[in-house]
Amino acid sequence: MGSALTTIGLPVALGIIMLGLGLSLRVGDFTRIAKHPRAVFIALVCQLLILPALCFGLVLAFDLSPVLAVGMMMLAASPGGTTANLYSHLFRGDVALNISLTALNSVIAVFTLPLITNLAIAYFMPGGDTLGLQLSKTIEVFAIVLLPVAIGMFVRWQWPSFADTMDKPVRVASVVILIVVIAGAIVSNLDMLLENLGQLALITVLFCLLSLSVGFFVPRLFRVGRTQAIASSFEIGIHNATLAIVIAQTVLGNTELSLPAAVYGVLMFFVALAFGFGLRAAYRRADAHEDAAHSDAASDAAQPTGGAGRA
């Protein structure tokens, strides 16, 4: 479980992917988001308030052991993972919003992750250890997300035609890298996954689905645009499981505490993919019905009235 893939390989691979995402971004993407802060505010409320409450309810409903319960709460308090940017990119979400949310969540998580984890330890494991502020881990998340994106944006600024030419190849390469990462994560965590599948698989899948759904439908209820809601969904639904694993093992020194994040870190790839394709299919049908309705309305408007026909 503490393999090089999860602790080193995965962040490096995602950093390479983020470089490609930066090629598709302009500074104007961020200034546009600053003019529409509602989507950011709603996403942060979902991430910081709704998700921990939902996770707490799931933990109580599944009656997990105290250590696994704390591990689930730590996962809920973790910021969005860099993989969220890739999924948003693949499913046509507002990637600039994803990157802004990742940056904001990473800063806020310096305070909220220890707070929520400490509260969970106090509730489920009275007298247990507390979690210190992991500023170095936040800096690591910033480096993985922002540095390669900044390089990609610089390339687009200097050589825009090259960035446009590379857009499609980078999208294809992103899918290939994603498949490799998923396969590697399964292989490296296979024994752990099989051993804890019965106890943790269902709750982590449900938590992922709830996170994705909250991240999409709550913003839509407040009339946030579709692409921003997609970005919010993946940002909220895909947590930084690697960060939770590293904190559990290195800061608290408890391997069992990292099991929920490890199981979630494997299964979330499939859940998020299924959710993304489900959204795409639903909106294709909705768009098709809307186009058909517009076509029928235009046809009716073009047809002469009964009186005009007799004349």
Side-chain angles (χ1 to χ4, degrees):
M1 185 167 52
S3 66
L5 177 72
T6 54
T7 58
I8 299 176
L10 183 56
V12 170
L14 293 176
I16 295 172
I17 292 171
M18 295 306 298
L19 174 66
L21 297 184
L23 292 173
S24 65
L25 295 177
R26 299 177 176 85
V27 175
D29 295 323
F30 295 94
T31 58
R32 176 176 51 83
I33 290 174
K35 296 177 182 177
H36 303 281
R38 180 171 55 177
V40 174
F41 175 77
I42 293 172
L44 289 177
V45 169
C46 292
Q47 174 80 48
L48 301 175
L49 298 179
I50 298 178
L51 284 197
L54 285 175
C55 186
F56 184 72
L58 284 175
V59 166
L60 294 179
F62 278 79
D63 194 25
L64 291 183
S65 67
V67 175
L68 295 181
V70 173
M72 281 296 301
M73 294 303 298
M74 179 188 296
L75 176 65
S78 297
T82 51
T83 316
N85 302 279
L86 170 61
Y87 276 87
S88 184
H89 184 62
L90 294 177
F91 292 104
R92 305 295 181 178
D94 190 335
V95 180
L97 175 61
N98 279 106
I99 295 172
S100 297
L101 286 173
T102 299
L104 288 172
N105 277 331
S106 297
V107 173
I108 296 173
V110 173
F111 306 99
T112 57
L113 195 154
L115 174 63
I116 292 174
T117 304
N118 288 340
L119 289 174
I121 290 174
Y123 184 88
F124 294 106
M125 302 170 59
D129 295 327
T130 58
L131 181 64
L133 297 179
Q134 286 297 295
L135 182 59
S136 62
K137 302 304 176 184
T138 300
I139 294 174
E140 180 182 338
V141 173
F142 267 109
I144 292 172
V145 176
L146 298 183
L147 183 58
V149 168
I151 294 173
M153 291 183 67
F154 176 78
V155 171
R156 167 166 284 281
W157 177 54
Q158 288 290 335
W159 303 283
S161 59
F162 172 76
D164 290 334
T165 303
M166 291 300 296
D167 182 64
K168 185 174 181 180
V170 166
R171 287 181 185 272
V172 174
S174 298
V175 174
V176 173
I177 293 173
L178 177 62
I179 293 173
V180 171
V181 169
I182 291 175
I186 292 174
V187 170
S188 65
N189 294 289
L190 185 59
D191 292 339
M192 178 277 304
L193 178 62
L194 294 176
E195 183 180 349
N196 297 276
L197 193 62
Q199 189 174 12
L200 290 173
L202 182 56
I203 189 173
T204 51
V205 167
L206 282 176
F207 177 63
C208 188
L209 278 174
L210 284 173
S211 300
L212 290 163
S213 300
V214 166
F216 181 79
F217 291 107
V218 171
R220 290 297 281 167
L221 283 176
F222 289 92
R223 298 184 179 180
V224 170
R226 184 191 304 182
T227 58
Q228 292 182 324
I230 291 172
S232 171
S233 175
F234 289 119
E235 187 66 32
I236 292 170
I238 300 178
H239 296 268
N240 194 334
T242 303
L243 178 62
I245 291 171
V246 171
I247 290 177
Q249 292 189 0
T250 62
V251 177
L252 296 180
N254 192 320
T255 301
E256 187 180 359
L257 193 64
S258 65
L259 289 179
V263 174
Y264 176 92
V266 173
L267 297 180
M268 71 176 183
F269 292 113
F270 303 100
V271 178
L273 274 177
F275 188 85
F277 282 119
L279 280 182
R280 179 179 292 179
Y283 274 111
R284 277 179 178 170
R285 288 195 296 269
D287 290 342
H289 287 315
E290 185 177 347
D291 291 342
H294 286 320
S295 177
D296 290 342
S299 244
D300 291 341
Q303 298 230 350
T305 62
R310 285 191 299 271

